[in-house]
């Protein structure tokens, strides 16, 4: 009996020491929270949290997680833990040698049916609001067509007349030379202007891929023969990384996504360097309108001589009768 008590005390002391160490680790990790890396994973203790937001959609997703889901999960977990402890202490063989014979309780069964339904309804209200924000895209300022390939990404800018270019992962030595994260950095980045609504048209050429951009709160599948649509609006300039998040073959882990968010002037210069134009879409529309006008004017011009000939024949008929 005495040895059992000593063992219990030792276990309690060990648990207290473990809790104390956990608290100390948590306190030492607090400064790391203020040093989050934007647009890429942060090593260390911060890895348990969501990546910092760089768009309004991600801000809304973080709020939904931290304010709605996390408290509900915590309360449910603590409640279930308290029930388990109560049952173990109150209804063990020593404390309750003669068990009860009843097996149903209508009130408890109604409660454990209705309460989960109400919790799910509460979650659904905020979940549907967030889903609507993802679907209700504002008027886009530019469109980028993204094509997933085994094992790289293709980017095309139809509005600016930039043809598709391929983005591959940087080799390890080159990533180290540039001081950029290996398996996240790419040789060609998707470049977009800051503060603009960017529409992404996402598809694939071979198997199913998935475009995942944590800083923008996006994860959209790229499916052959189908085009999915999503959008984001970057709040600040910088470099943001993502990856393919759908198992797509042997080199699935080597399909990084690099997005460079720049000023509008820098974006215009980049478009020009790719052989495009900021007015390519407007120029194409103007050219199409000019062609349509010319096509409409051609039949009218052809009809005028015929009308003149008809008028001449009509005037010549009375003269011949005289």
């Amino acid at each position: 009996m005495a040895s059992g008590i000593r063992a219990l005390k030792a276990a309690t002391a060990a648990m207290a020491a473990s809790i104390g160490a956990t608290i100390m680790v948590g306190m030492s990790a607090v400064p790391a929270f203020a040093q989050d890396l934007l647009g890429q994973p942060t090593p260390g203790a911060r890895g348990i949290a969501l990546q910092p937001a760089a768009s309004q959609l991600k801000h809304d997703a973080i709020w939904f997680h931290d304010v709605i889901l996390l408290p509900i999960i915590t309360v449910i977990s603590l409640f279930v833990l308290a029930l388990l402890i109560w049952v173990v202490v109150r209804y063990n063989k020593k404390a309750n040698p003669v068990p009860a014979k009843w097996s149903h309780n209508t009130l408890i069964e109604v409660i454990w049916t209705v309460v989960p339904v109400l919790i799910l309804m509460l979650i659904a209200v905020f979940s549907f609001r967030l889903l609507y924000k993802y679907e209700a895209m504002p008027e886009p300022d530019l469109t980028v067509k993204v094509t997933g390939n085994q094992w790289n990404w293709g980017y095309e800018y139809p509005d600016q007349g930039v043809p598709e270019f391929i983005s591959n992962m940087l080799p390890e030595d080159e990533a180290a030379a540039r001081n950029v994260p290996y398996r996240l950095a790419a040789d060609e980045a998707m470049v977009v202007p800051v503060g603009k609504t960017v529409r992404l048209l996402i598809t694939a050429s071979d198997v199913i891929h998935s475009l995942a951009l944590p800083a923008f709160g996006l994860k959209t599948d790229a499916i052959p023969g189908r085009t999915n649509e999503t959008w984001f609006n970057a709040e600040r300039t910088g470099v943001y990384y993502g990856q393919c998040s759908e198992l797509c073959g042997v080199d699935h882990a080597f399909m990084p996504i690099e997005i460079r968010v720049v000023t509008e002037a820098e974006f215009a210069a980049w478009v020009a360097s790719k052989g495009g134009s900021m007015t390519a879409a407007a120029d194409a529309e103007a050219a199409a309108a000019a062609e349509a006008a010319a096509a409409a004017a051609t039949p009218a011009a052809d009809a005028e001589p015929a009308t003149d000939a008809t008028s001449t024949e009509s005037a010549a008929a009375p003269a011949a009768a005289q």
Side-chain angles (χ1 to χ4, degrees):
M1 183 68 179
S3 61
I5 293 175
R6 285 195 298 271
L8 180 61
K9 288 182 178 179
T12 304
M15 183 180 296
S18 176
I19 293 173
T22 303
I23 293 174
M24 292 298 294
V25 169
M27 292 178 64
S28 65
V30 169
F33 287 6
Q35 300 173 3
D36 295 341
L37 298 178
L38 185 64
Q40 60 181 288
T42 301
R46 180 58 177 172
I48 62 173
L50 297 176
Q51 194 174 118
S55 72
Q56 186 57 47
L57 288 178
K58 183 60 181 288
H59 283 298
D60 294 337
I62 290 177
W63 182 90
F64 177 59
H65 174 269
D66 292 350
V67 178
I68 303 299
L69 295 183
L70 199 57
I72 291 176
I73 293 170
T74 303
V75 170
I76 291 175
S77 300
L78 293 176
F79 176 69
V80 172
L81 177 62
L83 282 180
L84 289 173
I85 294 174
W86 179 61
V87 168
V88 169
V89 173
R90 176 65 180 82
Y91 296 106
N92 63 73
K93 185 176 181 179
K94 182 178 179 180
N96 190 50
V98 181
K101 300 297 184 181
W102 55 270
S103 60
H104 293 281
N105 186 298
T106 303
L107 177 60
I108 292 179
E109 291 174 0
V110 169
I111 290 174
W112 74 35
T113 302
V114 173
V115 170
V117 171
L118 295 177
I119 293 173
L120 291 176
M121 290 177 63
L122 174 65
I123 294 174
V125 170
F126 296 96
S127 177
F128 289 155
R129 287 174 56 186
L130 181 60
L131 287 174
Y132 176 76
K133 290 181 179 180
Y134 273 84
E135 293 297 324
M137 179 178 62
E139 184 69 24
D141 296 302
L142 74 150
T143 299
V144 181
K145 182 182 178 183
V146 182
T147 303
N149 311 299
Q150 288 182 310
W151 289 270
N152 54 46
W153 296 95
Y155 305 128
E156 179 183 351
Y157 293 69
D159 295 341
Q160 287 73 34
V162 176
E164 184 182 50
F165 58 92
I166 300 300
S167 175
N168 290 287
M169 185 188 74
L170 277 181
E172 187 172 7
D173 55 346
E174 192 170 346
R178 297 188 187 184
N179 195 25
V180 292
Y182 175 53
R183 292 192 181 177
L184 289 177
D187 59 355
E188 289 277 3
M190 180 196 305
V191 180
V192 298
V194 66
K196 300 294 184 181
T197 299
V198 180
R199 174 173 59 183
L200 300 179
L201 301 178
I202 304 168
T203 187
S205 63
D206 35 47
V207 299
I208 297 177
H209 303 274
S210 188
L211 185 89
L213 300 169
F216 301 131
L218 301 181
K219 183 184 181 300
T220 304
D221 285 348
I223 302 173
R226 175 175 175 177
T227 300
N228 288 329
E229 182 181 79
T230 189
W231 67 281
F232 68 91
N233 189 318
E235 296 177 336
R236 64 188 81 175
T237 59
V239 180
Y240 303 89
Y241 297 104
Q243 287 179 309
C244 176
S245 60
E246 186 73 35
L247 188 60
C248 58
V250 65
D251 284 340
H252 160 68
F254 307 102
M255 284 186 63
I257 303 161
E258 180 178 338
I259 296 183
R260 283 201 300 117
V261 181
V262 298
T263 64
E264 197 162 356
E266 291 172 329
F267 177 69
W270 176 84
V271 168
S273 72
K274 289 290 185 180
S277 169
M278 294 297 290
T279 60
D283 295 343
E285 290 179 4
E291 290 180 4
T298 301
D302 293 341
E304 285 180 2
T307 303
D308 294 342
T310 304
S311 302
T312 304
E313 291 177 358
S314 300
Q322 293 176 356

